[in-house]
Amino acid sequence: MKKAFITGVTGQDGSYLAELLLDKGYKVYGLTRRTSTQNFARIDHLMHNENLELISGDLIDQNSLTYPLQKIQPDEVYNLAAQSFVQTSWDQPVLTGEFTAIGVVRILEAVRLACPQAKFYQASSSEMFGKVQSVPQTEETPFYPRSPYGVAKVYGHWITVNYRESYDLFACSGILFNHESPRRGLEFVTRKIANAVARVKLGKQTHVELGNLDSKRDWGYAKDYVEAMWLMLQQDRAEDYVIATGETHSVKEFLMAACAEAGLPDWEAVYKHNSAYDRPAEVDLLIGDATKAKEKLGWEPKVRFDELVRIMVQAELEKESE
Ligand code: NAP
Ligand code: F7E
């Protein structure tokens, strides 16, 4: 039985990846941090699976990473844990650096010392491209991050490359573009909009307050993207891959499509601008070219923009009607 260790198992991607690996017959160890109230909502449905074991630890605590890895001797380690909300990274830049940047070298050190034979995945991000230096973005596009989060991810990316080259670890990064789902945190724009339009439709709120509607993102479906993570660790050689749909849409387009899906004819009546959601520095346009992933991993996104909007709005209509 193959063994996988996932940091960030309680997050959107961690929960889908745990499902995928359990379905494939893995024993899955998920790192969870101690909080005053437990936050296992995304993995509640997996809690009775005897092949899922939760391990208490934190990316800020070196020994809580090294000891479990020494004991478990996993075949695969997926580092998905991070302070992942870009807006918060301006309010908490130091904490973001601790978790999202230095956290990566802590887990790499743990792998190097405790289980150097394990294959390692780092959750890199299209936010590293920031003020984009070419369109579309590929594995060769230079980075120009525009937030403390993006800067932290660049460190995480390069330290992964460096450990691969310094210690011959099987360490790779997926440079994932935005991916969404009904399990996305409510603070991210797609889930915020999907939830709001459902509530407006049901008469539970009148409008949604948003920041910049003009930024464009390459939005995919989280379930498709965790499959790409797994595929990267099934290769003979560790390499980095862009994972994206190759389509870009503005926040306004997402809002319009979500209103249409919820049966709200006038999107402008649903929206108010609130400058609190504008960012000190914006990433205006992201669009990825995942040709390498298609050619080498045989990976392609199954869910496209319209279907993603449908999945997210219908999930919110259902939840909000309960
Ligand atoms: P998410 O839903 O915010 O999940 C983040 C996870 O990290 C949660 O399980 C959280 O635990 C855990 N975590 C945070 N700080 C930690 C710490 N100090 N120690 C241990 N665990 C900690 O994020 P996601 O959307 O699933 O994204 C997964 C990864 O991919 C992240 O690294 C993110 O930056 C990266 N990424 C995401 C996207 C995207 O579009 N979703 C794109 C590119 C890259 P709690 O539940 O306790 O908070
Ligand atoms: O913002 C604009 C905002 O917070 C998308 C993370 O998973 O993907 C994510 O980062 C866009 C930005 O995601 C609101 O200004 C307008 O242009 O949903 P978001 P993000 O910043 O792209 C990358 C790839 C990651 O790696 C990150 O971890 O939407 N926007 N109005 C708004 N955004 C939010 N959150 N809320 C608003 O009201």
Side-chain angles (χ1 to χ4, degrees):
M1 190 181 225
K2 269 191 162 183
K3 291 177 280 185
F5 185 86
I6 305 175
T7 72
V9 73
T10 54
Q12 170 188 259
D13 291 5
S15 64
Y16 284 120
L17 181 66
E19 270 171 26
L20 179 86
L21 297 178
L22 289 167
D23 279 353
K24 289 185 184 295
Y26 279 67
K27 169 93 185 178
V28 174
Y29 298 86
L31 188 84
T32 61
R33 52 184 177 162
R34 196 267 163 185
T35 44
S36 65
T37 49
Q38 275 187 351
N39 173 26
F40 294 165
R42 294 184 180 107
I43 51 168
D44 252 352
H45 60 296
L46 304 174
M47 294 298 271
H48 297 298
N49 190 318
E50 60 182 16
N51 288 327
L52 175 67
E53 194 173 314
L54 298 183
I55 308 284
S56 173
D58 197 300
L59 280 188
I60 209 160
D61 186 330
Q62 182 71 57
N63 287 348
S64 75
L65 306 172
T66 312
Y67 289 144
L69 289 181
Q70 215 157 32
K71 192 161 160 226
I72 294 162
Q73 291 297 313
D75 301 283
E76 296 169 10
V77 175
Y78 296 86
N79 183 38
L80 308 186
Q83 190 303 94
S84 73
F85 189 40
V86 172
Q87 183 104 43
T88 291
S89 75
W90 278 283
D91 301 329
Q92 299 181 35
V94 177
L95 176 135
T96 302
E98 276 293 352
F99 293 179
T100 307
I102 302 302
V104 185
V105 75
R106 287 198 194 95
I107 184 94
L108 278 166
E109 272 293 276
V111 169
R112 180 174 79 85
L113 295 170
C115 55
Q117 81 299 333
K119 291 183 168 181
F120 176 82
Y121 174 86
Q122 165 59 15
S124 284
S125 164
S126 54
E127 280 294 299
M128 301 188 305
F129 297 124
K131 189 171 174 180
V132 297
Q133 303 295 294
S134 64
V135 178
Q137 296 84 52
T138 70
E139 293 80 5
E140 308 308 322
T141 304
F143 300 140
Y144 192 139
R146 292 271 281 173
S147 64
Y149 169 83
V151 173
K153 280 288 177 188
V154 172
Y155 176 88
H157 185 82
W158 280 114
I159 199 69
T160 302
V161 173
N162 181 258
Y163 268 53
R164 177 167 75 218
E165 294 176 355
S166 303
Y167 302 113
D168 203 23
L169 295 182
F170 188 109
C172 59
S173 286
I175 307 175
L176 271 53
F177 283 62
N178 299 54
H179 46 280
E180 319 293 313
S181 74
R183 293 188 200 165
R184 192 56 144 148
L186 263 171
E187 67 276 32
F188 295 91
V189 80
T190 55
R191 174 92 195 284
K192 180 175 174 179
I193 292 174
N195 177 260
V197 299
R199 289 176 61 84
V200 171
K201 178 68 183 174
L202 296 168
K204 292 170 130 181
Q205 80 185 54
T206 55
H207 66 277
V208 57
E209 296 189 1
L210 297 167
N212 176 21
L213 293 192
D214 296 327
S215 58
K216 292 183 154 185
R217 292 290 183 273
D218 180 329
W219 279 298
Y221 184 38
K223 255 187 155 175
D224 287 347
Y225 284 42
V226 298
E227 178 101 36
M229 297 174 188
W230 176 76
L231 282 168
M232 284 177 221
L233 297 200
Q234 309 317 304
Q235 306 307 304
D236 294 331
R237 251 172 69 103
E239 290 185 50
D240 305 324
Y241 296 87
V242 159
I243 300 298
T245 69
E247 254 184 71
T248 193
H249 295 273
S250 65
V251 174
K252 190 198 283 181
E253 285 175 286
F254 193 98
L255 175 62
M256 291 164 73
C259 285
E261 181 64 36
L264 298 169
D266 182 4
W267 71 270
E268 279 170 296
V270 170
Y271 153 76
K272 281 196 182 122
H273 181 254
N274 182 339
S275 58
Y277 298 112
D278 291 336
R279 295 181 176 179
E282 181 60 280
V283 172
D284 295 321
L285 165 70
L286 291 173
I287 178 164
D289 176 352
T291 303
K292 180 180 174 186
K294 186 176 177 187
E295 287 176 0
K296 293 203 169 179
L297 306 177
W299 181 88
E300 273 191 285
K302 297 186 190 86
V303 172
R304 299 280 173 178
F305 181 75
D306 291 342
E307 174 72 354
L308 177 67
V309 173
R310 195 190 64 72
I311 291 170
M312 292 186 72
V313 172
Q314 290 304 330
E316 297 303 318
L317 283 167
E318 203 172 300
K319 260 185 245 166
E320 291 293 338
S321 306
E322 278 167 8

